[in-house]
Amino acid sequence: MNNDEGSSPTPYSIRYADSADAEIEAAYGWIVSHDFAAAERWLAGLHTALLQRAGDHAALPGRRYVAPDAANFPGRDLRVLRYQTHGGSIWRVLYELRDDDNDGNLDTLLVAYVRSASRPSPNNPAASDAE
Amino acid sequence: MTITLQEQDEVLLLAEARRRGTDPAQFATAALRAGLAALATLPAPHDTAASESASEVDSDDLAWWNQLTPEEQEAERTALRRGLADINAGRTKPAEEVYARIRATYAHLQPAAAEAA
């Protein structure tokens, strides 16, 4: 998949923290063990949602989508995306926007955290996503 | 505690008391008690800091956050700290690399591949 899938081009590249990478793999692994197509929809949908959000930030900069947790992390610019596939669980994606090439423009959306907002049991992390 | 009424509130209370034919002072006290009782039934946020800058905070997520117990909020913060520590240390990967690896790991579960096996 590349950044052109499912959305208009965005000036942001999208990167995952290693722990967020592990969280995504765990979620995908659980869903795919029940329904391969549902897992693909979930993963492709996540990327599309991030691209749309990045495009939204690019089109209209400003402090929006601030995560409630941000108050506990002074100095961090934490935003939240609530992501949900049709009929699936809600997933919480916390991210920061960065200017990685120091040209004065934000260019990177860094995902710090991807977790189910429905917080089901550890053995069933995303039950409704596989239904 | 001192409770100050705006003039327009006083006028409204007096008018309502007259309409009901009750003592204005008693009616005002009862109305205030009812208002305070209603306020007391609103869910209090576990994390008052999360209520700051409410206009910038995602309202759906704030509602979700406020219904968590303090222990659940701490668990979320702990997970977030891990991610932020990764970012601080440069432990990040491009999205495409992450997706490609995950898909390769589970490719054997794709229906056609599973049938072939």
Side-chain angles (χ1 to χ4, degrees):
Chain A
M1 177 180 292
N2 60 50
N3 276 7
D4 294 330
E5 271 190 22
S7 181
S8 57
T10 167
Y12 289 87
S13 64
I14 295 173
R15 299 182 69 90
Y16 288 101
D18 282 1
S19 52
D21 173 354
E23 287 161 351
I24 292 172
E25 180 163 1
Y28 182 94
W30 190 89
I31 303 169
V32 82
S33 68
H34 292 77
D35 184 338
F36 188 90
E40 273 302 300
R41 280 196 301 275
W42 184 84
L43 192 60
L46 174 62
H47 191 66
T48 298
L50 287 168
L51 288 176
Q52 286 173 344
R53 176 57 64 83
D56 193 9
H57 282 299
L60 193 60
R63 278 183 59 80
R64 291 176 298 145
Y65 312 116
V66 174
D69 331 32
N72 300 109
F73 295 89
R76 307 299 297 235
D77 187 18
L78 288 166
R79 316 291 182 101
V80 63
L81 167 70
R82 292 176 71 82
Y83 164 61
Q84 183 176 28
T85 54
H86 181 69
S89 311
I90 295 175
W91 292 78
R92 232 180 146 233
V93 182
L94 296 187
Y95 61 93
E96 291 187 306
L97 302 173
R98 291 277 187 92
D99 172 14
D100 270 358
D101 59 7
N102 294 313
D103 69 349
N105 297 312
L106 297 171
D107 50 43
T108 305
L109 189 156
L110 269 166
V111 177
Y113 155 125
V114 179
R115 280 162 68 91
S116 170
S118 53
R119 294 168 297 114
S121 71
N123 295 327
N124 186 15
S128 57
D129 288 301
E131 287 169 358
Chain B
M1 180 175 71
T2 302
I3 297 174
T4 304
L5 292 179
Q6 297 288 332
E7 191 175 342
Q8 62 203 39
D9 295 324
E10 288 180 284
V11 171
L12 285 172
L13 282 171
L14 285 171
E16 183 63 16
R18 282 198 193 100
R19 192 181 70 78
R20 295 177 181 221
T22 58
D23 175 63
Q26 286 182 351
F27 180 76
T29 303
L32 278 172
R33 281 186 178 147
L36 290 171
L39 277 176
T41 63
L42 293 175
H46 294 300
D47 188 339
T48 52
S51 299
E52 294 173 3
S53 304
S55 63
E56 299 169 343
V57 173
D58 184 291
S59 56
D60 288 342
D61 204 54
L62 181 61
W64 174 83
W65 178 260
N66 283 339
Q67 72 173 6
L68 299 182
T69 65
E71 292 76 20
E72 288 170 332
Q73 288 183 348
E74 186 52 34
E76 298 303 315
R77 281 192 285 264
T78 298
L80 179 55
R81 279 189 201 100
R82 278 197 297 270
L84 294 178
D86 285 340
I87 289 173
N88 289 345
R91 293 188 296 266
T92 68
K93 295 187 189 76
E96 293 75 15
E97 185 181 323
V98 170
Y99 303 144
R101 192 201 68 247
I102 291 174
R103 287 186 167 119
T105 301
Y106 295 97
H108 64 284
L109 293 178
Q110 193 166 359
E115 283 172 20

